[in-house]
Amino acid sequence: MSTETLSYKYNALSSITKKQGKENLLLSKFNEVNKGSSPCFFWGKLNNPYELSRCLITLSNIVQSCFNLSPFQLALLKDPIVTAGNNQIRFEGFSHCAGVYARVDVLENGQDGDFIENGTTNVDFNTPLISELGKIKKNDNLILSVGQKEVGFHKEGSSFIERKVPLPSKWIKGLTTVQHYFSESDYAQTLNRIQALQLFKTIPAGKVKTDYYLIKRGNKYLFSPLKASNAICIGGIHRLKLLQPLIPLINELKVYPHKDMQSVTFILCFNELNFVFSVSRDFWRGFSGEGAALESLIEDLPDSLVQAFDNYSYTNQEFNPALLSFEEGIDITKIEKLSTKLSAMGLLGYDLSKNGFFYRRLPFKLERILSLNPRQKGAEKLLEENKVKITLQNDNEIEAQVEGSGVTHYVVLKGDLQKCTCTWFSKNQGERGACKHILAVKKKVKAN
């Protein structure tokens, strides 16, 4: 198995069965993290089955899409992640190239069921399941079960098999990085259904390599190759075509650009159901390679603090630093700035509509998530091999030399300004996160 993929197995196929006139959607689950003994997180009725089924089909199309990889790599199937708890259900996933992120949020009044156990898991989205979802009609009743309803649940004629699924490590990294971009994005505008339909008709045909801009003329919105004041920049605009089947069904469309235009997020609003869709700055550059949250991982956290937070991080509720501080007896000053780091560790998601983090425990072990970023590992290796030398340090400025392969890199940290002479920094100028040399220098300074 390649070190760039994680393989996992399902014990049963996800399926839709019909019983007493009701459709039952059972999603087979996988989880590396053992939290509780129940094999099922949620069982209940979905109040908007037609819209939800179309959102899940679009999500499946997204996680099977790729905008910068070969047809062979594209053929690998990916499976979304589902979080159930606090009266909400969230499905989320990435395109294969990790440049498109999508999440389906079933809100509190969008379901009527029992949350047997709070948790997060991978779910099996197989071809027969997608085909059956396409047959759901507006008046159908749809019952959702995340996992099996009970231990040893079997249905006559059901097929229980093992299916290996490859998941690229960059997909997991992207799930942590995108939360950071969400937290730095702001609401820009709301379009009604007619405006959204008009807007999506202006998406150019084919694959577009130049930037496009979302602009407003009168009461109409359009995508234009010409930049205007207050325009929202969108790279790889052809990726938005994935949303076209959903636009006729929405109530409204909300737009959230990143503060530096490093991503753009669209929220498609239905009745008690939201579809979140975010694209990276360029179609060839996925969220997994950004490293925007790397610096938040520099400062080591006490194991007791991480464990205390992990005890809360699978309930889908809003992140409340004051409550965590009170219940765990931890100094509030040590918690208030943890959100970025904890989201980078897979313990928090971000809800743009509520402008805040929520507990979301990815179904992978913490050590797996933390070991995935090569720049973070590279910085730690530089420190282990004693290749970082601080040459100047005062209250406002730090200079250092970092030994590389046959070359010495020079790092300067002055206030909010940081520079390095390495190729990575010269190419990206900090837009995709710090290089391993800057990370190593910062970590050494914090350790001293």
Side-chain angles (χ1 to χ4, degrees):
M1 181 184 68
S2 168
T3 58
E4 292 302 312
T5 62
L6 162 68
S7 289
Y8 51 90
K9 297 179 181 180
Y10 294 113
N11 292 323
L13 282 174
S14 293
S15 62
I16 291 181
T17 60
K18 194 166 186 177
K19 186 177 182 180
Q20 296 179 345
K22 295 182 179 180
E23 305 286 347
N24 291 270
L25 171 61
L26 294 94
L27 300 176
S28 184
K29 72 173 189 174
F30 165 86
N31 202 328
E32 279 192 340
V33 183
N34 294 317
K35 281 185 175 290
S37 57
S38 174
C40 181
F41 290 152
F42 171 83
W43 179 276
K45 178 183 177 183
L46 297 168
N47 295 335
N48 300 288
Y50 179 78
E51 289 84 356
L52 177 62
S53 64
R54 270 54 189 174
C55 286
L56 292 179
I57 290 171
T58 300
L59 179 62
S60 176
N61 290 337
I62 289 170
V63 300
Q64 295 182 64
S65 297
C66 178
F67 299 93
N68 68 354
L69 297 179
S70 69
F72 171 76
Q73 293 168 312
L74 179 57
L76 296 174
L77 179 64
K78 302 298 161 293
D79 292 303
I81 285 173
V82 60
T83 302
N86 197 37
N87 294 318
Q88 290 192 22
I89 306 166
R90 305 178 193 264
F91 298 83
E92 59 184 324
F94 267 99
S95 61
H96 192 140
C97 55
V100 178
Y101 168 83
R103 191 177 76 225
V104 181
D105 290 346
V106 181
L107 306 181
E108 184 171 355
N109 292 328
Q111 51 74 30
D112 182 15
D114 297 321
F115 288 85
I116 302 168
E117 181 182 316
N118 298 323
T120 304
T121 183
N122 283 76
V123 294
D124 167 35
F125 266 33
N126 54 69
T127 301
L129 173 65
I130 298 303
S131 176
E132 291 299 318
L133 283 172
K135 299 176 184 177
I136 298 295
K137 301 180 178 63
K138 290 190 176 182
N139 295 326
D140 285 346
N141 289 322
L142 183 61
I143 304 297
L144 169 67
S145 171
V146 181
Q148 299 169 12
K149 186 175 181 181
E150 58 187 20
V151 177
F153 175 81
H154 295 279
K155 182 177 175 61
E156 185 177 356
S158 295
S159 176
F160 293 85
I161 66 170
E162 279 193 343
R163 188 171 76 91
K164 286 188 176 181
V165 182
L167 182 68
S169 60
K170 65 180 179 180
W171 209 73
I172 307 174
K173 288 189 290 181
L175 283 166
T176 60
T177 301
V178 75
Q179 314 305 324
H180 178 75
Y181 279 107
F182 281 175
S183 69
E184 295 186 339
S185 299
D186 294 313
Y187 166 79
Q189 50 206 210
T190 298
L191 287 68
N192 60 37
R193 183 188 303 159
I194 300 301
Q195 290 173 323
L197 285 168
Q198 293 171 337
L199 171 66
F200 273 72
K201 287 181 180 179
T202 66
I203 297 177
K207 186 175 180 179
V208 182
K209 294 184 179 181
T210 58
D211 290 335
Y212 263 66
Y213 299 88
L214 173 55
I215 63 176
K216 184 178 182 181
R217 290 180 182 169
N219 194 39
K220 294 184 178 180
Y221 294 86
L222 71 151
F223 295 118
S224 171
L226 303 177
K227 187 177 182 179
S229 59
N230 299 321
I232 298 174
C233 181
I234 302 171
I237 194 170
H238 54 286
R239 296 176 292 178
L240 300 189
K241 294 177 182 177
L242 289 164
L243 292 178
Q244 286 179 322
L246 295 179
I247 299 300
L249 305 176
I250 66 171
N251 295 330
E252 59 185 16
L253 173 70
K254 296 182 179 181
V255 187
Y256 296 78
H258 181 261
K259 65 176 184 177
D260 298 324
M261 298 295 177
Q262 293 301 305
S263 67
V264 181
T265 303
F266 300 84
I267 298 184
L268 285 66
C269 303
F270 304 83
N271 294 325
E272 300 300 331
L273 175 69
N274 290 337
F275 189 96
V276 181
F277 181 91
S278 189
V279 292
S280 59
R281 177 65 180 81
D282 299 294
F283 74 89
W284 45 265
R285 194 172 87 188
F287 286 102
S288 62
E290 298 304 281
L294 277 178
E295 293 187 54
S296 66
L297 294 173
I298 293 174
E299 185 174 356
D300 293 327
L301 295 179
D303 291 341
S304 58
L305 180 56
V306 174
Q307 185 60 51
F309 188 86
D310 194 22
N311 291 335
Y312 290 87
S313 64
Y314 60 103
T315 57
N316 233 354
Q317 63 189 35
E318 294 179 21
F319 172 43
N320 189 326
L323 181 62
L324 178 62
S325 173
F326 174 78
E327 294 192 356
E328 294 296 327
I330 303 171
D331 186 351
I332 186 65
T333 60
K334 295 182 180 180
I335 294 180
E336 288 178 332
K337 297 181 180 180
L338 292 182
S339 57
T340 301
K341 175 160 186 167
L342 293 168
S343 65
M345 296 170 68
L347 299 180
L348 285 177
Y350 195 87
D351 192 330
L352 278 165
S353 61
K354 295 183 179 180
N355 195 30
F357 286 95
F358 62 88
Y359 298 118
R360 191 271 268 111
R361 176 70 157 91
L362 288 181
F364 306 104
K365 296 176 182 178
L366 282 180
E367 52 266 32
R368 182 187 297 281
I369 297 172
L370 294 175
S371 67
L372 290 176
N373 200 289
R375 273 179 276 162
Q376 181 73 15
K377 291 189 289 186
E380 293 172 354
K381 185 177 180 180
L382 289 171
L383 292 171
E384 290 173 3
E385 296 177 354
N386 199 28
K387 292 185 176 181
V388 180
K389 180 181 180 182
I390 306 297
T391 58
L392 172 66
Q393 182 175 357
N394 55 45
D395 292 340
N396 191 49
E397 186 174 5
I398 296 170
E399 294 182 3
Q401 296 178 7
V402 183
E403 183 182 343
S405 301
V407 64
T408 299
H409 301 290
Y410 297 90
V411 173
V412 176
L413 308 177
K414 190 173 183 179
D416 293 332
L417 178 68
Q418 53 187 34
K419 292 184 177 181
C420 182
T421 58
C422 72
T423 304
W424 172 270
F425 184 86
S426 299
K427 181 180 179 180
N428 298 291
Q429 297 295 312
E431 287 189 354
R432 300 180 65 187
C435 65
K436 64 180 180 180
H437 311 105
I438 291 176
L439 291 172
V441 170
K442 286 190 170 185
K443 190 159 188 175
K444 182 164 185 174
V445 170
K446 285 182 177 291
N448 292 339

